[in-house]
């Protein structure tokens, strides 16, 4: 009789530690890098939770659309799209984000994180 494989627990991302890194980026006057890092945390969570990596040819928006379409029961467009729009606005908008904008992006991330993992997360810069 074959042995059953034990299901490995999902690897966890230390979100608090990642956002401490965001805070360091903000404190060292690199707010655009901070917002890009917030997006990378989201990207890592999607990859780990749903085994869906962002493909090299996909833009941030294309990846978000693919995630919503393919993971429709797990990700709500009303949560994903505002987050992605805020990330794009800051990265490609040509202006330096304020702490207010960064905190709003973190709030949008927190809502998504709760939706994806069922865990709450809150962070303020």
């Amino acid at each position: 009789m074959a042995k059953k494989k034990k299901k490995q627990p999902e690897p966890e991302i230390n979100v608090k530690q990642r956002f401490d890194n965001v805070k360091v980026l903000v404190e060292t006057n690199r707010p655009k890098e901070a917002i890009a890092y917030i997006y990378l945390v989201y990207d890592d969570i999607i990859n780990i939770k749903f085994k869906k990596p962002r493909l090299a040819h996909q833009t941030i928006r294309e990846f978000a659309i693919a995630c919503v379409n393919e993971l429709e029961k797990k990700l709500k467009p009303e949560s994903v799209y505002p987050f992605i729009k805020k990330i794009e606005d800051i990265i490609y908008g040509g202006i330096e984000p304020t702490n207010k904008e960064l905190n709003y992006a973190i709030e949008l991330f927190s809502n998504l994180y709760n939706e994806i993992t069922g865990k709450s997360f809150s962070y303020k810069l």
Side-chain angles (χ1 to χ4, degrees):
M1 190 167 166
K3 289 185 179 181
K4 290 184 179 179
K5 287 186 177 180
K6 289 186 179 181
K7 188 176 179 182
Q8 296 291 330
E10 286 181 3
E12 290 278 326
I13 291 179
N14 187 338
V15 179
K16 164 100 172 65
Q17 181 183 20
R18 296 272 187 107
F19 275 82
D20 287 342
N21 293 342
V22 169
K23 188 173 186 172
V24 168
L25 288 168
V26 171
E27 288 171 351
T28 57
N29 295 320
R30 299 184 303 185
K32 283 195 177 188
E33 288 179 46
I35 203 74
Y37 193 80
I38 292 169
Y39 174 77
L40 290 176
V41 175
Y42 162 78
D43 194 90
D44 287 347
I45 290 169
I46 295 294
N47 193 11
I48 288 171
K49 184 76 174 170
F50 303 117
K51 312 283 187 275
K52 178 151 185 58
R54 182 172 150 221
L55 304 176
H57 68 274
Q58 287 178 313
T59 65
I60 292 171
R61 182 173 296 181
E62 288 170 341
F63 181 62
I65 291 168
C67 286
V68 167
N69 289 339
E70 294 170 25
L71 308 168
E72 64 186 70
K73 303 250 189 271
K74 298 168 182 132
L75 290 177
K76 296 177 188 159
E78 58 269 16
S79 299
V80 175
Y81 296 148
F83 172 71
I84 296 303
K85 180 166 178 13
K86 178 53 76 179
I87 298 295
E88 287 182 324
D89 287 350
I90 292 173
I91 291 175
Y92 305 118
I95 55 170
E96 290 298 311
T98 64
N99 273 4
K100 182 179 177 182
E101 289 172 315
L102 287 163
N103 279 320
Y104 182 63
I106 292 169
E107 182 182 321
L108 293 171
F109 170 86
S110 297
N111 294 339
L112 265 174
Y113 181 77
N114 184 335
E115 191 175 300
I116 294 166
T117 66
K119 300 174 185 174
S120 64
F121 174 74
S122 179
Y123 199 92
K124 291 280 185 206
L125 296 176

